[in-house]
Amino acid sequence: MNDAAHWSIFVEAALINNFVLAYFLGICPFFGVSAKLETALRMGGAVSFVMLVASVCAFSINLLLDAVAAPYLRIISYILVIASTVQLVEMLMRKLSPATFRALGIYLPLITTNCAIFGLALFQTNREYDFTRSVVYALGAGAGFALALVLMAGVREKLDLANVPQLVKGTAAALVVAGILSMSFMGFAGLGR
Amino acid sequence: MNQPPTTDEFVKGLWRDNPVFVQVLGMCPALAVSNTAINALAMGLATSFVLLMSGISVSLLRRFIPREARIVCYICIIASFVTVVDYAIAAISLELYRSLGAFIALIVVNCLILGRAEAFASKNTVGRSVLDALGMGVGFTVALLSIGIVREILGSNSLFGIALFPDGFQTWTVMVLPSGGFFAMALWLLVVNRIKERQALKEPAQ
Amino acid sequence: MTTPVQQPVTSVWSMYRAIVGIGALCALLIVSVFKATEGRIADNRARFLASAVAEILPEAQWTLAVAVDASGALVEASEGAALPGYLGFDADGNIVGAVITGIGMGYADNIRLLYAYSFELDAITGFKILESKETPGLGDRVEVEPHFLASFDRLDASLSPGGDALANAIVTVKQGEKVAPWQIDGITGATITSEAIGRILDVSASVWVPALERDAAAFAGRQPHEEEQ
């Protein structure tokens, strides 16, 4: 019973409460594949896609769990159903659209148990979004994830050429960049109304 | 693969293979609730508990679980223990439960837990798995707690909710915001790297 | 030392056995923990609510959960209602006020709060934030700023003559510009959060106050059930 406007849900998920920069969800792929712009774009696309699938799954599971009054099965059923659905989608994609599979497919197994996906499913349940709001929320979260990944990749490509002390190189530098990005994203707060 | 349990299984998680500072694993859901020392400690303990229990279960059942179905079995076991922790925290303190929010459930996707189940517990005896899980758990908790302490002192001039400096200083609000989590972790990484570097410099001299 | 040994082919039977066996163990574990903690969690919830009610509606001895149904009528709330309200009773069964849950988007995330409504004053007389992730030191000033809280001594929420809407929308104005009893004196530096509180109250009160004023009297004289606090 959340009646927030659709566009405000989108803006909130993509910018204000960006999954990576405000909730620290999906940091592993964020640092792992954000070294190149090209891979970052594809990873972003793949995550958005899986988020959409997961959001629909989570919404239906939740209906089912409410019907049988078994909230204690939420965690276990979310993770199992989302993981298997993504596997199914991956197989279908390989059969039906090999081109898309080549572009996104190799990332799919990586992100099935990604925290961002699972986090999305939990948050939309906690906020009691209806079906369209859940989908909009998933789209926003996916767009935000892709945006963060692409921005990060852009900065890191430049950073490679800069003269950084040996001690700071690698994860520490990436963390500081992420912190600064996170600060700048705070400027979006208050937009989503 | 049948060595007796050694203290090394425990100690390696504390420093050499510290899950956070060395392997940079399992930070995703944990960093978000490191804004106060209490939250960080609770999150660390909850994660350690799941790590320990799933380590024991996986190790006990390792002959029973066929290789092809192992991941789904591990996920099932981990998710059950996370559900247990979720309800246990709500029963202990509703206040704590609210401040940790959905992040308790997110322990399920902490890569550290599945990683240890797959890489260690599935191949070792219960005794060794317990030591490994305890070491990793303590290493994880200490790392998260040290991030939480820095963020709470600088961000709210308090520690474990107790005000620190009566005269006060302009608190660094940024440290309690999400970006503070990134900064505090970067800071600790630098400290750890620096110590490691000095150790490496010393060693050939001996 | 770990040369991969020839993996014996796993039979379908042993895979089923493992998955079903582990599933059964997990189900047993989850359900028993759920049953074991159920009572304590309910206790914790009730205690939390009681302490919040004691803070903003100290006259109430016990409360009854109520909800507004689709037709706008006040009904006794079913278990686990999303945004319940509570009627506060004194020891003699007189209704002393109502406490209502409101939710809305703040600066960073949803804000969930409880507010007290007084039938005698036709006004909101206090609020308590249950959940918020507002910026520490800025947004969370709504809980401590004296001039902001002063607006809640008696925040007018009287109904229009028709009785189906608020006479004046509750709104947060700029700091120092409050002129009417239905306005909240905002906080410079926490504009968005203080405006969000006004909006949450307005949205929630527009639904609840008409229902409360029309139907609450029917609940008068109730005595607490055994399990109610």
Side-chain angles (χ1 to χ4, degrees):
Chain A
M1 319 322 141
N2 195 316
D3 50 3
H6 289 86
W7 70 272
S8 112
I9 293 176
F10 183 87
V11 170
E12 194 243 311
L15 298 177
I16 305 170
N17 283 326
N18 186 288
F19 268 49
V20 182
L21 299 172
Y23 288 147
F24 304 94
L25 295 172
I27 297 198
C28 315
F30 180 61
F31 290 141
V33 291
S34 64
K36 280 223 170 63
L37 207 55
E38 166 81 22
T39 35
L41 264 175
R42 288 187 175 182
M43 181 74 182
V47 167
S48 314
F49 174 73
V50 176
M51 275 182 167
L52 205 58
V53 175
S55 167
V56 175
C57 284
F59 186 79
S60 2
I61 301 170
N62 202 35
L63 282 184
L64 193 71
L65 289 183
D66 276 351
V68 299
Y72 44 84
L73 288 182
R74 186 164 290 144
I75 296 177
I76 197 166
S77 52
Y78 272 16
I79 188 142
L80 288 178
V81 173
I82 291 173
S84 21
T85 312
V86 173
Q87 289 271 304
L88 278 179
V89 170
E90 189 193 339
M91 289 176 204
L92 273 182
M93 202 191 258
R94 195 185 314 210
K95 275 258 184 289
L96 300 179
S97 165
T100 337
F101 180 75
R102 268 196 300 280
L104 304 181
I106 52 163
Y107 300 105
L108 287 181
L110 266 181
I111 49 189
T112 321
T113 54
N114 181 308
C115 1
I117 312 291
F118 193 62
L120 173 94
L122 285 176
F123 291 153
Q124 76 173 31
T125 316
N126 284 357
R127 293 167 181 217
E128 297 169 350
Y129 283 152
D130 60 14
F131 185 73
T132 49
R133 289 190 171 80
S134 298
V135 169
V136 170
Y137 188 57
L139 288 174
F145 189 91
L147 179 65
L149 215 58
V150 167
L151 285 177
M152 186 73 184
V155 175
R156 282 182 81 174
E157 275 185 359
K158 292 270 182 232
L159 209 60
D160 277 346
L161 307 172
N163 189 9
V164 180
Q166 191 59 40
L167 201 62
V168 190
K169 266 202 174 128
T171 319
L175 278 168
V176 172
V177 172
I180 295 170
L181 273 182
S182 165
M183 263 165 83
S184 53
F185 266 60
M186 276 176 53
F188 291 119
L191 260 186
R193 292 185 303 132
Chain B
M1 273 298 142
N2 274 326
Q3 300 105 318
T6 57
T7 40
D8 184 58
E9 307 299 352
F10 178 70
V11 178
K12 71 173 191 294
L14 299 188
W15 177 255
R16 183 161 43 85
D17 287 334
N18 184 294
V20 176
F21 293 139
V22 179
Q23 307 182 56
V24 202
L25 265 186
M27 290 319 291
C28 321
L31 216 49
V33 284
S34 67
N35 51 351
T36 65
I38 286 278
N39 286 357
L41 186 65
M43 191 67 185
L45 290 179
T47 309
S48 305
F49 173 79
V50 177
L51 195 58
L52 180 64
M53 297 313 286
S54 61
I56 294 176
S57 319
V58 167
S59 175
L60 273 176
L61 296 169
R62 69 186 189 281
R63 306 217 179 282
F64 178 68
I65 298 174
R67 224 177 55 86
E68 292 84 349
R70 67 188 193 290
I71 298 293
V72 65
C73 291
Y74 297 164
I75 289 180
C76 223
I77 292 171
I78 294 169
S80 309
F81 284 115
V82 171
T83 313
V84 170
V85 166
D86 194 52
Y87 282 109
I89 292 184
I92 293 166
S93 159
L94 206 58
E95 204 122 290
L96 187 63
Y97 186 71
R98 291 204 173 189
S99 64
L100 295 180
F103 289 95
I104 306 169
L106 280 167
I107 296 176
V108 163
V109 279
N110 190 320
C111 2
L112 174 64
I113 296 174
L114 192 59
R116 287 330 282 173
E118 163 83 5
F120 198 93
S122 64
K123 302 192 186 93
N124 287 287
T125 58
V126 177
R128 285 165 52 99
S129 303
V130 167
L131 284 180
D132 175 73
L134 282 178
M136 288 292 165
V138 173
F140 182 79
T141 309
V142 167
L144 203 58
L145 185 60
S146 42
I147 294 175
I149 287 177
V150 167
R151 289 181 71 181
E152 193 176 346
I153 293 180
L154 293 178
S156 12
N157 184 16
S158 65
L159 190 57
F160 291 106
I162 303 160
L164 277 187
F165 304 107
D167 298 338
F169 56 91
Q170 186 61 49
T171 51
W172 305 8
T173 302
V174 67
M175 291 310 276
V176 254
L177 299 177
S179 39
F182 289 112
F183 291 138
M185 182 165 165
L187 199 75
W188 280 110
L189 263 184
L190 288 185
V191 173
V192 171
N193 284 351
R194 178 74 188 135
I195 298 174
K196 290 220 150 166
E197 198 180 64
R198 291 182 62 164
Q199 274 177 342
L201 281 178
K202 248 188 237 160
E203 257 161 29
Q206 279 170 352
Chain C
M1 73 182 178
T2 51
T3 41
V5 267
Q6 187 66 44
Q7 286 291 339
V9 180
T10 323
S11 69
V12 178
W13 155 239
S14 80
M15 278 180 60
Y16 274 123
R17 192 185 54 178
I19 292 176
V20 172
I22 286 176
L25 283 180
C26 292
L28 195 69
L29 181 73
I30 292 177
V31 172
S32 47
V33 167
F34 176 70
K35 283 290 163 205
T37 52
E38 205 178 12
R40 281 212 56 173
I41 294 175
D43 276 1
N44 279 345
R45 293 239 157 89
R47 204 162 342 131
F48 185 81
L49 174 70
S51 76
V53 169
E55 206 170 301
I56 56 177
L57 192 66
E59 302 88 1
Q61 298 292 316
W62 65 280
T63 56
L64 175 73
V66 286
V68 177
D69 70 7
S71 64
L74 192 70
V75 292
E76 201 166 331
S78 52
E79 188 93 359
L83 290 173
Y86 305 90
L87 286 175
F89 294 86
D90 66 8
D92 304 324
N94 300 316
I95 298 176
V96 291
V99 176
I100 300 149
T101 322
I103 189 167
M105 180 70 190
Y107 181 75
D109 209 333
N110 277 328
I111 299 176
R112 186 186 278 264
L113 51 76
L114 277 179
Y115 64 95
Y117 174 76
S118 158
F119 290 96
E120 205 176 317
L121 301 173
D122 290 333
I124 290 169
T125 51
F127 75 100
K128 180 179 168 61
I129 305 270
L130 297 180
E131 247 170 72
S132 95
K133 294 204 174 62
E134 300 306 280
T135 321
L138 298 171
D140 61 2
R141 280 163 59 199
V142 293
E143 291 178 82
V144 290
E145 201 72 19
H147 74 267
F148 182 77
L149 294 178
S151 311
F152 290 89
D153 284 344
R154 184 176 179 168
L155 180 67
D156 184 77
S158 49
L159 293 176
S160 62
D164 55 357
L166 293 181
N168 303 288
I170 296 169
V171 64
T172 305
V173 294
K174 276 189 188 158
Q175 185 165 348
E177 290 181 9
K178 174 181 161 86
V179 288
W182 56 84
Q183 291 175 337
I184 302 170
D185 198 4
I187 304 174
T188 310
T191 319
I192 293 173
T193 310
S194 52
E195 280 176 1
I197 303 243
R199 209 174 45 248
I200 294 169
L201 291 179
D202 184 54
V203 169
S204 171
S206 311
V207 176
W208 274 90
V209 174
L212 284 171
E213 286 292 346
R214 193 175 56 238
D215 301 333
F219 288 86
R222 284 282 188 110
Q223 290 302 321
H225 298 297
E226 274 299 293
E227 69 275 8
E228 234 131 17
Q229 313 265 318

